[in-house]
Amino acid sequence: MALDKILPDRIGFGTAPMGNMFRAVPEEEASATLNAAWDQGIRYYDSAPLYGAGLAEIRLGEMLSRKPRAEFVLSSKVGRVILDEVESGSRDLGEKGSLFADGRPNKILHEWTADATKRSIDGSLQRLGVDRLDIVWCTTWRRTSTATSGSASSRKPGPGRSGC
């Protein structure tokens, strides 16, 4: 299906700042921002497990839990799995550096296997409190991978394949 058939409008809400991107965002400010977006007619929301180690998805899910599911389009990303394990001390956030230094302290697993893709989606569904994602973006797919041959991350995307 073409994206122009799925997306309700030309503008959406990217939730990276709701994951404490660049600074700690108080709960009240995050909630007010998300509610203001809804009140102004925004109906497409994009998130990712990386955003604050799931914090953005949790905050977005809180707001969307009070809205009819049929009235919004929701996307998230794969390539990272948020673990229950908490990191202490200095965190290795990889190529994203300190963008989400004020996010949740959960350990983030960077993995592009088929299993990790499923776990990433399941985690996003749980944090968002929804039964489905309308779009799953694979924005961190790498052409080179240490994955074993045949895993989703070792194949170049093509028709009918996600490449994730």
Side-chain angles (χ1 to χ4, degrees), residues 65-77:
S65 70
R66 298 182 298 277
K67 310 299 181 192
R69 181 59 183 93
E71 290 189 21
F72 59 88
V73 173
L74 187 57
S75 66
S76 193
K77 298 167 187 74

Side-chain angles (χ1 to χ4, degrees), residues 21-44:
M21 184 177 187
F22 300 120
R23 68 180 181 93
V25 177
E27 289 296 327
E28 302 77 26
E29 182 180 336
S31 178
T33 301
L34 289 164
N35 284 308
W38 182 273
D39 292 345
Q40 293 300 309
I42 300 297
R43 295 298 182 269
Y44 169 49

Side-chain angles (χ1 to χ4, degrees), residues 91-107:
R91 297 182 69 191
D92 177 14
L93 297 174
E95 77 279 7
K96 300 300 180 184
S98 62
L99 285 179
F100 297 101
D102 293 312
R104 296 167 64 222
N106 296 64
K107 186 172 183 180

